[in-house]
Amino acid sequence: MKFSEMPYARPDLDAVKQQFADLLARFKAAATYAEAHAVFLEEEKLNKHVDTLAQLASVRNTIDTRDKFYDEEMNFWNEATPQLQECQNAWSRAMLDSPFRADFTAEYGDLMFVNAEIADKAFSPDILDEMAQENKLTTEYGKLIASAQIPFEGGVYTLSQLSPFKNDPDDARRLAAWKAEGAWYKEHGAEFDGLYDQLVHLRDTMGKKLGYEGYTTLGYYRMGRLCYGPEEVKQFRENVRRDVVPVVARLRKEIGKKLGVDTLMLYDYDLIFPQGDPAPKGGKEAIFAAAKRMYHDMSRETGEFIDFMLATEAFDVDARKNKWGGGYCTSFMAYHQPFILANFNGTAGDVDVVTHEAGHAFADYTTANNRYVVELGVGGMETAETHSMSMEFFAWPYMAQFFGEDAGRYEFMHLMDALSFLPYGTIVDDFQRQVYENPDWTPAERKAAWRQLEAEFRPHITFDGIPYLEEGTRWQYQMHIYETPFYYIDYCLAQTAALQFLLASRKDYDDAFHRYVRFLSQGGEKVFTELLQEAGLRSPFQEGALQTVAQESEALLNELERALSQETK
């Protein structure tokens, strides 16, 4: 069904809750597995219907945050979602206690029940009020980001529209764009600090109400972490510090020399090439035409997928005033349809939308056409991000269709950015660890912690001379810190897997792609570490696991640079 034709009407919350209650009673009273399974499928259908309505309201609200109708609908869902989660949690407990658990396990695997156990640890009716307040605050944050109107060079830009100026080849223009953005954040600094302080204390309260030391344990349960916890992530952070940071620092200093700077400033960091970074050769229509050719050539399944996405209006990529400032892929489960929102701005990031976000969508499309159940989905978020980040790299053989003669420069930039991301993403994660261990920190203490982490993980760059950012406020630019705490490490874990897929694809593309599709198609049936092992990839939690990845990525960057040098002769 086309996105524009999907019907929306606010559900009767009391009626929906009663439907869940009736299903729960019937499930508990089932005398046979056949009866219990039939009710299970009814609950799945209701769950998908309700979730689809919630997603429709959310998506249409992010498309235009000024839309009064969907603004009111989000107010409704912010209050309703915790109550519905209470219904779902009661269902999960009934599944765990079911005398037919073995039968469900035989049909769907045991992971569904492991997920239910985790969900049970992440919820209590005692935190319903806090959950509703949390939803309200994250919505306020999203509106604040979407409201940005930044004067620059005679124009007025959203945050997304300003981005191309931040990696302009002209040093002065680049710095001016960063200063303009920083001025807007500084103007609203008290709001950013206030929203985050409220969120931190709310989450800390939720954790303590559930009997935890604070929010961290609850945060990991809410993320559905199954095969690792804070200790494994601590080891990962140490792997990044020891084996990735020195490599990135060395490579970035070399790029700085080519840019003609002795001290690498933050406003230099988004620029890789002195003449300017590669950009797509055409606009939206050209990008989607190239994407369609690419996915049809890649495989039959990906060809069918992109045709489906285009036919169902599954992309909204135009940057507009008061549109939500980020990008995402979601799904309308009742229709088994993914949807992608982004803000095209003429940079290489536009191409990443039809690779990265489309990687998410392909996983959702694939599992929806298999034996999809809500309780399994596409796997944990680290698994889902592996789907998307790996697709970025499997698209490399087709980059000439997007960038023409600049395809090689894009590949170098893409890999350099991917490797450089690991230290930054680790900063985001460790910052949140410290914040939730110290919920009563002042805004100044949080900013000092951020500055210290930057010095540890990105010692090769400086924020000096960039008003507001030099105070230690870069974290306020990161939506995930406000909206989905402890999510960001999933990107880092996924990036290590994606880099391994890239390196494997350079040796045998078909074999690597086959392993990737198998990894993707299992749809939450196995945990992340098991999927990695089956795909022949190393777990990022092993000590020294990133050493080979970093070294081989550096070698590939050197190879790509040599090829670029030959092209210019």
Side-chain angles (χ1 to χ4, degrees):
M1 180 181 292
K2 291 182 178 180
F3 171 68
S4 61
E5 298 173 352
M6 290 182 181
Y8 174 82
R10 181 189 295 187
D12 182 326
L13 181 59
D14 289 336
V16 170
K17 289 164 67 176
Q18 187 60 53
Q19 286 179 274
F20 276 117
D22 292 344
L23 288 168
L24 182 64
R26 287 173 53 202
F27 182 79
K28 289 180 176 180
T32 66
Y33 175 61
E35 290 179 34
H37 187 255
V39 180
F40 169 80
L41 293 179
E42 287 185 55
E43 197 273 347
E44 283 278 307
K45 184 175 181 180
L46 178 59
N47 215 343
K48 291 175 182 178
H49 169 69
V50 173
D51 185 80
T52 295
L53 293 177
Q55 290 301 320
L56 278 168
S58 177
V59 168
R60 288 172 177 163
N61 176 250
T62 57
I63 285 174
D64 184 358
T65 59
R66 298 170 304 174
D67 188 304
K68 292 184 179 179
F69 176 80
Y70 284 108
D71 190 49
E72 284 301 314
E73 293 311 293
M74 287 308 299
N75 290 335
F76 164 78
W77 286 105
N78 286 340
E79 296 288 339
T81 299
Q83 298 179 53
L84 293 169
Q85 187 169 339
E86 185 175 15
C87 297
Q88 292 162 358
N89 200 62
W91 176 267
S92 294
R93 286 196 299 270
M95 288 286 292
L96 289 169
D97 295 336
S98 172
F100 307 110
R101 175 168 174 167
D103 300 280
F104 279 105
T105 298
E107 185 159 353
Y108 296 102
D110 191 58
L111 203 55
M112 179 165 65
F113 291 96
V114 178
N115 287 332
E117 290 169 352
I118 294 294
D120 191 52
K121 294 176 180 178
F123 178 80
S124 165
D126 294 340
I127 62 171
L128 284 174
D129 288 344
E130 285 83 3
M131 292 174 68
Q133 291 177 60
E134 181 186 32
N135 290 339
K136 179 176 180 292
L137 289 169
T138 56
T139 299
E140 286 183 25
Y141 171 79
K143 287 182 179 179
L144 179 58
I145 291 293
S147 72
Q149 293 289 286
I150 302 173
F152 185 73
E153 294 186 347
V156 179
Y157 300 90
T158 65
L159 290 168
S160 178
Q161 291 169 337
L162 187 69
S163 291
F165 300 110
K166 291 166 61 182
N167 67 343
D168 191 277
D170 182 83
D171 293 354
R173 194 182 199 202
R174 198 163 62 247
L175 175 58
W178 276 95
K179 286 183 174 180
E181 182 181 61
W184 181 82
Y185 273 96
K186 186 175 182 65
E187 179 185 353
H188 298 279
E191 294 172 75
F192 284 112
D193 280 330
L195 284 169
Y196 193 55
D197 194 67
Q198 291 179 74
L199 284 166
V200 169
H201 283 98
L202 266 176
R203 290 163 179 158
D204 182 64
T205 298
M206 284 191 277
K208 289 174 178 173
K209 279 191 173 184
L210 268 62
Y212 304 125
E213 80 297 334
Y215 182 71
T216 301
T217 298
L218 173 59
Y220 269 65
Y221 285 146
R222 292 176 96 185
M223 288 303 301
R225 303 267 157 80
L226 300 178
C227 57
Y228 61 94
E231 285 304 310
E232 287 78 10
V233 172
K234 180 180 179 181
Q235 179 61 61
F236 175 79
R237 288 196 300 263
E238 181 55 33
N239 289 344
V240 172
R241 188 196 314 270
R242 184 184 60 241
D243 297 325
V244 178
V245 168
V247 173
V248 171
R250 182 165 59 247
L251 290 166
R252 283 290 181 171
K253 286 179 180 178
E254 287 301 314
I255 289 174
K257 291 179 182 178
K258 293 181 175 63
L259 295 176
V261 297
D262 295 324
T263 301
L264 198 63
M265 309 293 291
L266 179 67
Y267 61 85
D268 298 320
Y269 212 66
D270 286 344
L271 185 67
I272 301 295
F273 297 100
Q275 69 271 41
D277 291 343
K281 294 302 182 183
K284 179 175 73 172
E285 290 74 18
I287 288 173
F288 278 103
K292 184 172 183 177
R293 291 192 300 270
M294 174 181 74
Y295 284 120
H296 272 275
D297 186 72
M298 198 177 281
S299 72
R300 176 183 59 81
E301 294 83 0
T302 50
E304 292 174 352
F305 153 73
I306 194 63
D307 288 346
F308 175 81
M309 294 288 286
L310 294 172
T312 56
E313 302 174 346
F315 293 92
D316 185 310
V317 300
D318 296 312
R320 297 184 297 272
K321 183 179 179 181
N322 289 303
K323 183 179 179 181
W324 188 76
Y328 60 75
C329 174
T330 189
S331 176
F332 305 120
M333 291 195 288
Y335 306 108
H336 300 300
Q337 290 184 206
F339 180 87
I340 291 170
L341 180 138
N343 287 271
F344 274 15
N345 55 20
T347 68
D350 297 351
V351 175
D352 295 338
V353 170
V354 297
T355 58
H356 179 99
E357 300 300 348
H360 283 306
F362 180 55
D364 186 85
Y365 172 85
T366 301
T367 54
N369 287 315
N370 294 339
R371 187 177 56 185
Y372 178 81
V373 293
V374 174
E375 286 83 356
L376 291 176
V378 297
M381 294 314 303
E382 73 292 307
T383 302
E385 295 303 340
T386 300
H387 301 156
S388 57
M389 290 178 161
S390 300
M391 183 61 89
E392 294 179 36
F393 289 127
F394 282 113
W396 269 26
Y398 306 93
M399 284 302 105
Q401 298 183 32
F402 297 96
F403 294 95
E405 69 280 4
D406 285 336
R409 293 203 307 134
Y410 169 79
E411 291 173 357
F412 181 91
M413 178 184 71
H414 184 198
L415 180 52
M416 187 68 252
D417 286 343
L419 196 60
S420 301
F421 171 77
L422 291 174
Y424 171 74
T426 305
I427 292 172
V428 173
D429 180 71
D430 207 13
F431 173 74
Q432 293 178 95
R433 175 191 65 82
Q434 293 185 43
V435 164
Y436 288 107
E437 286 179 0
N438 301 277
D440 293 326
W441 267 356
T442 64
E445 288 173 314
R446 292 179 188 133
K447 293 167 187 175
W450 182 271
R451 287 198 303 271
Q452 178 59 36
L453 286 168
E454 285 281 4
E456 291 179 26
F457 284 91
R458 299 206 292 182
H460 50 285
I461 63 173
T462 180
F463 290 75
D464 294 344
I466 309 177
Y468 197 54
L469 278 172
E470 61 187 358
E471 298 175 21
T473 58
R474 175 63 181 83
W475 58 272
Q476 294 181 348
Y477 294 39
Q478 196 61 63
M479 292 182 179
H480 304 73
I481 290 176
Y482 287 80
E483 297 177 343
T484 48
F486 294 116
Y487 185 162
Y488 220 67
I489 199 66
D490 294 280
Y491 290 113
C492 298
L493 300 175
Q495 191 69 274
T496 65
L499 287 167
Q500 291 181 74
F501 271 129
L502 168 66
L503 296 168
S505 73
R506 303 286 291 186
K507 300 170 184 175
D508 188 333
Y509 184 93
D510 290 341
D511 175 69
F513 188 74
H514 173 77
R515 286 190 278 145
Y516 163 70
V517 172
R518 179 165 175 74
F519 180 103
L520 172 148
S521 65
Q522 294 184 79
E525 296 172 11
K526 296 179 180 178
V527 298
F528 181 56
T529 50
E530 290 176 339
L531 291 170
L532 291 176
Q533 185 175 14
E534 185 176 301
L537 307 179
R538 292 193 68 186
S539 167
F541 305 120
Q542 299 170 357
E543 185 175 354
L546 303 187
Q547 186 174 21
T548 300
V549 172
Q551 290 175 347
E552 291 188 7
S553 295
E554 182 177 21
L556 177 53
L557 282 164
N558 291 333
E559 176 189 329
L560 293 170
E561 188 171 35
R562 286 193 296 271
L564 290 173
S565 298
Q566 290 297 320
E567 290 176 8
T568 57
K569 287 183 179 179

